Amino acid sequence: MVPGFRKGKCPRQMIEAMYGADVFTEDGINEIFPEVYAGTVLKEENLKPVGMPTVVDMQFPEAGGVELTVDIFRPATPGPYPTIVVRCPYPQQVELWKLHGEHLNRRGYAMVCEWCRGTYTSGGTWEPNVNERNDGADLLAWCEHQDWIDVIGLWGTSYLSLTCWTVADITTPKVASICANHYGTDRFASAYQKGSFRCDVLTAWAMQNAGYPVDADYMKSALHLPQMSVDEDMWGGRLDWYRDWISHPKDADAYWDEGFWGLLKSIPSKVKVPMFIHEGWFDHHLGSALTGYAALNEQVKEHSWLRIGCWNHYFLNPLEGLEPKHLDAAEVPAALEWFDLTLKRKQTPMRQVEYYEIGSDSWHVADSWPLPSAGADEVRLYLKSGELTAEAPQAASAAEYDYDPANPVMTRGGEALLTTMDEIGARIQPEPGWRDDVITFESEPLDHDLHIQGAISVDLYVSSSAPDTAFTAKLMCVDPDGTARNYRTSITTIGLDTPDAAPYKPGEIRRVSIDMWGICWMVPAGSRIRCDISSSDFPQYSVHTNHAGLWSEQTGTQVAHQTIHMGGATPSAIVLPVRG
């Protein structure tokens, strides 16, 4: 069984995303083989089996006398074994890790799965993040003295990847490599985008991992004012760590460079073992993960892999209505390829950078990441009264709308999502003009394929009746039949568009930049590029109240009259990094 699904009810694509398309054939063989093996082969050949894989559930004493639960899966064959070590905080994944352990045993690996402090049956008090370094170091020290462990690989996805990163610079001699999926070391990048909180990731995660049951409505929780007291007002207890997150919307805030987050940010440059960093264009940790890769020292990069594919946080296809043949989005086979090389064959990997180009359904290799600026051109598409044009309009014009925080634009597709699973990715979009507060700009059909590779931005000249507000952008490809899908979205606020932004005076025209995460995306000839501008994208981002000051302390909202200025001295434009 897979956690969250009744037996036999988990979608086939989710299982295949973990283990690959052959998993069902393999399981069928494993289901039939034991009966034939025991009833026929052993009797006819008079053989004695070595034994079946063993599973041990033990209590491991950590520093301070806290006992943590460790599940050990060992193959039937004699050791010592290449061993994969994971650390997990999610009790709902107990059966999943049993499944992983069994599959790894069949392939000759042992697996050690420790349950994080205060989770499942582990002792102590659950507090996210802060105990993972010390507890992980203690586990590795214990593993170092087990004669049945030959060599170690650390593996994890999401929070489990975090537990890998926290010890990546203090690994013990048996640790040969790390496979870290869907997590990074810049926590601020995963929490905020220019003043807007990624509530679908972190508000929801806080509710699910509070350390006690929270049954409040998630959407109402994310909209609660003031957000600073949502824990006590709606969740039944105070969560100081959540209050810390929502109190520091600036990258320059010391909070993100001190304590645990400061430590995490400093780790990549001190890593000494090869790493496989596995990411997806529609994973909400993409920005942070690529920052972590960039910070690895050059010696480690020479022996590390970076792979960026087209999938979401769950390794599922994010392209609504499209089924590309070459997504290759299987999590476990990729990890096994890495561990077979580094643990079983004990070979030192060589630098490998692979990335998938959306639209052409093709994989590419590079010598480094990010891709070098040489060979890339900056293409601007200018906003002009519902159009996107290659030439900057000489005459000034404007588009206006009212933004009411009480009626936010609901997220339809995006990359910074976790809980609202149905909206993760490139989703089919409503027709232009579907809301008065969403302004659409669209190009003419392209006369050639456009290869966008890098970080897109939207430069806007804006004004507002509010002392602070937000502006959003959604970039889309419109197929010849009129079907539009989003491929990049983002947001900015006037107050935190730049680190040194001056206080805003209502009515003032201000230039802002809506910066998007990098992408490799081919927009085919015959398609159009569409960009929707608005002021909310909820729950991908918190709803801006149109008041100045710390967002999480706001107690009320007001309607803002927004103006997008175009042409002349205010050339609002989309900035595309184009190659080829």
Side-chain angles (χ1 to χ4, degrees):
M1 288 180 63
V2 174
F5 296 93
R6 300 192 309 279
K7 187 173 182 178
K9 298 299 183 181
C10 180
R12 182 187 184 101
Q13 63 175 341
M14 187 169 288
I15 298 294
E16 290 182 345
M18 287 191 288
Y19 288 102
D22 294 335
V23 65
F24 294 102
T25 302
E26 178 184 308
D27 276 355
I29 293 172
N30 288 326
E31 186 75 23
I32 297 169
F33 180 75
E35 182 178 346
V36 176
Y37 172 67
T40 305
V41 178
L42 294 183
K43 290 181 180 179
E44 290 182 358
E45 302 297 331
N46 194 29
L47 297 175
K48 293 183 179 180
V50 172
M52 295 299 290
T54 59
V55 181
V56 178
D57 181 355
M58 63 174 286
Q59 294 299 120
F60 178 75
E62 293 282 0
V66 175
E67 291 191 341
L68 304 186
T69 298
V70 179
D71 294 335
I72 300 172
F73 298 78
R74 293 165 61 173
T77 55
Y81 314 102
T83 301
I84 294 174
V85 174
V86 298
R87 300 189 62 252
C88 182
Y90 301 125
Q92 65 270 30
Q93 291 188 2
V94 170
E95 294 301 320
L96 175 63
W97 284 104
K98 287 181 181 178
L99 178 67
H100 281 316
E102 292 166 1
H103 276 265
L104 289 170
N105 284 173
R106 293 171 190 165
R107 290 166 168 82
Y109 291 96
M111 190 187 79
V112 174
C113 177
E114 181 177 71
W115 297 92
C116 295
R117 183 181 295 238
T119 68
Y120 187 36
T121 54
S122 285
T125 301
W126 163 249
E127 184 177 357
N129 311 306
V130 296
N131 294 307
E132 308 308 352
R133 184 172 175 87
N134 290 337
D135 290 351
D138 287 346
L139 178 63
L140 289 182
W142 177 84
C143 289
E144 199 69 25
H145 294 94
Q146 306 309 305
D147 57 9
W148 54 270
I149 295 179
D150 178 28
V151 64
I152 294 170
L154 306 182
W155 180 34
T157 298
S158 196
Y159 192 96
L160 286 73
S161 179
L162 164 72
T163 68
C164 297
W165 275 111
T166 58
V167 295
D169 63 328
I170 55 171
T171 51
T172 52
K174 284 187 178 180
V175 177
S177 70
I178 299 170
C179 177
N181 305 325
H182 295 179
Y183 207 91
T185 56
D186 184 352
R187 184 57 164 182
F188 178 80
S190 293
Y192 283 96
Q193 180 65 27
K194 290 194 171 183
S196 291
F197 190 63
R198 304 186 197 275
C199 52
D200 199 63
V201 179
L202 294 179
T203 301
W205 194 90
M207 295 175 67
Q208 296 158 6
N209 297 277
Y212 54 84
V214 175
D215 53 12
D217 182 81
Y218 156 58
M219 288 290 192
K220 292 179 180 178
S221 294
L223 290 169
H224 181 75
L225 298 179
Q227 184 66 198
M228 190 65 73
S229 62
V230 67
D231 50 359
E232 292 183 328
D233 293 345
M234 296 185 67
W235 301 347
R238 185 182 178 97
L239 297 180
D240 287 330
W241 46 267
Y242 180 70
R243 292 187 178 213
D244 285 340
W245 296 351
I246 63 176
S247 297
H248 298 95
K250 299 180 182 179
D251 192 12
D253 286 348
Y255 172 76
W256 302 108
D257 291 316
E258 297 174 347
F260 178 80
W261 301 121
L263 169 67
L264 186 64
K265 189 183 292 187
S266 73
I267 285 174
S269 64
K270 297 179 286 186
V271 173
K272 297 181 176 61
V273 299
M275 293 196 69
F276 177 17
I277 297 177
H278 205 186
E279 263 300 336
W281 292 126
F282 291 93
D283 173 47
H284 62 270
H285 283 301
L286 175 65
S288 177
L290 294 182
T291 298
Y293 176 79
L296 292 174
N297 64 73
E298 283 304 313
Q299 292 81 6
V300 169
K301 277 186 186 175
E302 281 299 316
H303 303 291
S304 294
W305 291 359
L306 173 65
R307 187 168 189 257
I308 313 171
C310 182
W311 48 71
N312 63 21
H313 191 65
Y314 306 96
F315 284 91
L316 298 177
N317 176 14
L319 309 177
E320 183 180 12
L322 302 175
E323 295 292 339
K325 294 181 179 180
H326 303 115
L327 285 186
D328 193 17
E331 172 187 1
V332 176
L336 287 173
E337 179 187 2
W338 172 255
F339 289 130
D340 284 350
L341 176 68
T342 60
L343 303 189
K344 281 189 174 179
R345 299 199 295 273
K346 297 185 179 179
Q347 295 180 6
T348 301
M350 298 308 296
R351 183 198 298 254
Q352 182 173 295
V353 177
E354 295 180 286
Y355 61 93
Y356 177 91
E357 185 180 53
I358 302 169
S360 66
D361 189 27
S362 59
W363 284 90
H364 303 266
V365 297
D367 295 327
S368 62
W369 195 270
L371 298 174
S373 56
D377 295 320
E378 182 181 281
V379 173
R380 287 180 174 263
L381 296 177
Y382 294 91
L383 279 60
K384 176 189 175 183
S385 301
E387 302 176 17
L388 294 174
T389 65
E391 299 295 329
Q394 297 301 308
S397 61
E400 303 179 39
Y401 62 93
D402 288 332
Y403 159 50
D404 183 358
N407 182 29
V409 176
M410 302 301 292
T411 297
R412 178 60 182 160
E415 53 273 39
L417 295 160
L418 176 65
T419 303
T420 311
M421 289 182 60
D422 290 345
E423 299 302 339
I424 303 174
R427 320 308 287 174
I428 295 174
Q429 298 296 308
E431 294 289 329
W434 67 289
R435 283 180 59 130
D436 291 340
D437 56 355
V438 178
I439 310 300
T440 295
F441 300 88
E442 195 168 274
S443 74
E444 291 296 318
L446 302 181
D447 60 9
H448 62 279
D449 296 342
L450 194 67
H451 295 268
I452 300 170
Q453 295 185 356
I456 301 165
S457 63
V458 180
D459 288 348
L460 290 182
Y461 290 83
V462 299
S463 60
S464 176
S465 63
D468 193 15
T469 191
F471 289 91
T472 65
K474 178 180 292 187
L475 203 61
M476 293 165 260
C477 173
V478 183
D479 297 339
D481 68 0
T483 303
R485 292 179 183 85
N486 62 288
Y487 288 91
R488 274 296 175 257
T489 64
S490 194
I491 194 170
T492 190
T493 61
I494 290 181
L496 294 176
D497 182 67
T498 61
D500 56 353
Y504 180 69
K505 180 180 178 181
E508 170 194 353
I509 297 177
R510 180 78 63 93
R511 180 182 179 179
V512 297
S513 178
I514 302 177
D515 299 330
M516 301 175 175
W517 285 342
I519 192 170
C520 292
W521 166 32
M522 185 201 78
V523 186
S527 302
R528 300 171 185 260
I529 292 176
R530 171 178 156 186
C531 182
D532 282 2
I533 303 297
S534 191
S535 288
S536 54
D537 184 358
F538 176 79
Q540 182 164 215
Y541 298 102
S542 55
V543 174
H544 202 292
T545 63
N546 291 327
H547 290 288
L550 181 61
W551 74 277
S552 54
E553 292 182 343
Q554 303 302 320
T555 58
T557 66
Q558 61 177 325
V559 176
H561 185 73
Q562 317 284 62
T563 304
I564 304 166
H565 301 270
M566 301 165 286
T570 55
S572 293
I574 302 168
V575 184
L576 303 173
V578 174
R579 294 176 183 269

mmCIF file of all heavy atoms in Angstrom, residues 207 214-223 230 234-235:
data_model
loop_
_atom_site.group_PDB
_atom_site.id
_atom_site.type_symbol
_atom_site.label_atom_id
_atom_site.label_comp_id
_atom_site.label_asym_id
_atom_site.label_seq_id
_atom_site.Cartn_x
_atom_site.Cartn_y
_atom_site.Cartn_z
ATOM 1 N N MET A 207 0.648 23.231 8.959
ATOM 2 C CA MET A 207 -0.563 22.592 9.479
ATOM 3 C C MET A 207 -0.410 21.076 9.542
ATOM 4 O O MET A 207 -0.839 20.431 10.496
ATOM 5 C CB MET A 207 -1.759 22.957 8.604
ATOM 6 C CG MET A 207 -2.131 24.427 8.617
ATOM 7 S SD MET A 207 -3.456 24.829 7.444
ATOM 8 C CE MET A 207 -4.849 23.959 8.189
ATOM 9 N N VAL A 214 -4.126 19.043 13.347
ATOM 10 C CA VAL A 214 -4.752 20.312 12.967
ATOM 11 C C VAL A 214 -5.806 19.995 11.916
ATOM 12 O O VAL A 214 -5.493 19.510 10.840
ATOM 13 C CB VAL A 214 -3.724 21.300 12.395
ATOM 14 C CG1 VAL A 214 -4.428 22.561 11.895
ATOM 15 C CG2 VAL A 214 -2.673 21.659 13.437
ATOM 16 N N ASP A 215 -7.060 20.249 12.249
ATOM 17 C CA ASP A 215 -8.138 19.928 11.304
ATOM 18 C C ASP A 215 -8.841 21.172 10.777
ATOM 19 O O ASP A 215 -9.931 21.096 10.233
ATOM 20 C CB ASP A 215 -9.149 18.963 11.936
ATOM 21 C CG ASP A 215 -9.671 19.455 13.273
ATOM 22 O OD1 ASP A 215 -9.442 20.634 13.606
ATOM 23 O OD2 ASP A 215 -10.302 18.647 13.991
ATOM 24 N N ALA A 216 -8.192 22.335 10.929
ATOM 25 C CA ALA A 216 -8.762 23.568 10.393
ATOM 26 C C ALA A 216 -8.712 23.546 8.876
ATOM 27 O O ALA A 216 -7.900 22.847 8.270
ATOM 28 C CB ALA A 216 -7.992 24.775 10.931
ATOM 29 N N ASP A 217 -9.587 24.307 8.238
ATOM 30 C CA ASP A 217 -9.610 24.409 6.786
ATOM 31 C C ASP A 217 -8.350 25.130 6.300
ATOM 32 O O ASP A 217 -8.021 26.225 6.789
ATOM 33 C CB ASP A 217 -10.855 25.175 6.346
ATOM 34 C CG ASP A 217 -10.959 25.276 4.836
ATOM 35 O OD1 ASP A 217 -11.412 24.307 4.214
ATOM 36 O OD2 ASP A 217 -10.560 26.332 4.287
ATOM 37 N N TYR A 218 -7.661 24.513 5.347
ATOM 38 C CA TYR A 218 -6.392 25.087 4.872
ATOM 39 C C TYR A 218 -6.598 26.440 4.189
ATOM 40 O O TYR A 218 -5.878 27.411 4.468
ATOM 41 C CB TYR A 218 -5.687 24.107 3.935
ATOM 42 C CG TYR A 218 -4.727 24.770 2.979
ATOM 43 C CD1 TYR A 218 -3.667 25.539 3.454
ATOM 44 C CD2 TYR A 218 -4.894 24.663 1.599
ATOM 45 C CE1 TYR A 218 -2.799 26.172 2.580
ATOM 46 C CE2 TYR A 218 -4.030 25.289 0.722
ATOM 47 C CZ TYR A 218 -2.987 26.045 1.221
ATOM 48 O OH TYR A 218 -2.136 26.678 0.364
ATOM 49 N N MET A 219 -7.545 26.545 3.270
ATOM 50 C CA MET A 219 -7.745 27.797 2.546
ATOM 51 C C MET A 219 -8.115 28.936 3.503
ATOM 52 O O MET A 219 -7.602 30.056 3.394
ATOM 53 C CB MET A 219 -8.821 27.625 1.472
ATOM 54 C CG MET A 219 -8.383 26.796 0.284
ATOM 55 S SD MET A 219 -7.157 27.660 -0.718
ATOM 56 C CE MET A 219 -7.136 26.615 -2.182
ATOM 57 N N LYS A 220 -8.995 28.655 4.446
ATOM 58 C CA LYS A 220 -9.364 29.685 5.422
ATOM 59 C C LYS A 220 -8.164 30.061 6.277
ATOM 60 O O LYS A 220 -7.995 31.233 6.648
ATOM 61 C CB LYS A 220 -10.521 29.193 6.287
ATOM 62 C CG LYS A 220 -11.837 29.051 5.538
ATOM 63 C CD LYS A 220 -12.952 28.544 6.450
ATOM 64 C CE LYS A 220 -14.263 28.414 5.687
ATOM 65 N NZ LYS A 220 -15.358 27.870 6.544
ATOM 66 N N SER A 221 -7.318 29.082 6.577
ATOM 67 C CA SER A 221 -6.114 29.359 7.356
ATOM 68 C C SER A 221 -5.172 30.286 6.591
ATOM 69 O O SER A 221 -4.612 31.238 7.154
ATOM 70 C CB SER A 221 -5.393 28.054 7.696
ATOM 71 O OG SER A 221 -6.162 27.243 8.556
ATOM 72 N N ALA A 222 -4.982 30.021 5.301
ATOM 73 C CA ALA A 222 -4.066 30.831 4.501
ATOM 74 C C ALA A 222 -4.574 32.256 4.313
ATOM 75 O O ALA A 222 -3.780 33.178 4.111
ATOM 76 C CB ALA A 222 -3.833 30.169 3.151
ATOM 77 N N LEU A 223 -5.893 32.448 4.390
ATOM 78 C CA LEU A 223 -6.490 33.780 4.235
ATOM 79 C C LEU A 223 -6.657 34.513 5.561
ATOM 80 O O LEU A 223 -7.013 35.692 5.577
ATOM 81 C CB LEU A 223 -7.861 33.663 3.554
ATOM 82 C CG LEU A 223 -7.863 33.260 2.077
ATOM 83 C CD1 LEU A 223 -9.282 32.926 1.626
ATOM 84 C CD2 LEU A 223 -7.274 34.369 1.209
ATOM 85 N N VAL A 230 -2.654 32.897 13.301
ATOM 86 C CA VAL A 230 -3.488 31.812 12.772
ATOM 87 C C VAL A 230 -3.273 30.528 13.566
ATOM 88 O O VAL A 230 -4.196 29.722 13.725
ATOM 89 C CB VAL A 230 -3.222 31.582 11.274
ATOM 90 C CG1 VAL A 230 -1.807 31.044 11.034
ATOM 91 C CG2 VAL A 230 -4.255 30.644 10.673
ATOM 92 N N MET A 234 -6.703 29.318 14.956
ATOM 93 C CA MET A 234 -7.371 28.271 14.181
ATOM 94 C C MET A 234 -6.786 26.871 14.359
ATOM 95 O O MET A 234 -7.459 25.885 14.093
ATOM 96 C CB MET A 234 -7.349 28.628 12.690
ATOM 97 C CG MET A 234 -8.118 29.888 12.336
ATOM 98 S SD MET A 234 -8.192 30.185 10.540
ATOM 99 C CE MET A 234 -9.203 28.802 9.986
ATOM 100 N N TRP A 235 -5.519 26.765 14.783
ATOM 101 C CA TRP A 235 -4.854 25.467 14.772
ATOM 102 C C TRP A 235 -4.748 24.813 16.145
ATOM 103 O O TRP A 235 -4.361 23.656 16.250
ATOM 104 C CB TRP A 235 -3.454 25.586 14.169
ATOM 105 C CG TRP A 235 -3.447 26.096 12.763
ATOM 106 C CD1 TRP A 235 -4.511 26.225 11.912
ATOM 107 C CD2 TRP A 235 -2.303 26.561 12.038
ATOM 108 N NE1 TRP A 235 -4.120 26.739 10.709
ATOM 109 C CE2 TRP A 235 -2.754 26.957 10.741
ATOM 110 C CE3 TRP A 235 -0.951 26.681 12.334
ATOM 111 C CZ2 TRP A 235 -1.903 27.464 9.781
ATOM 112 C CZ3 TRP A 235 -0.089 27.183 11.370
ATOM 113 C CH2 TRP A 235 -0.561 27.572 10.108
#
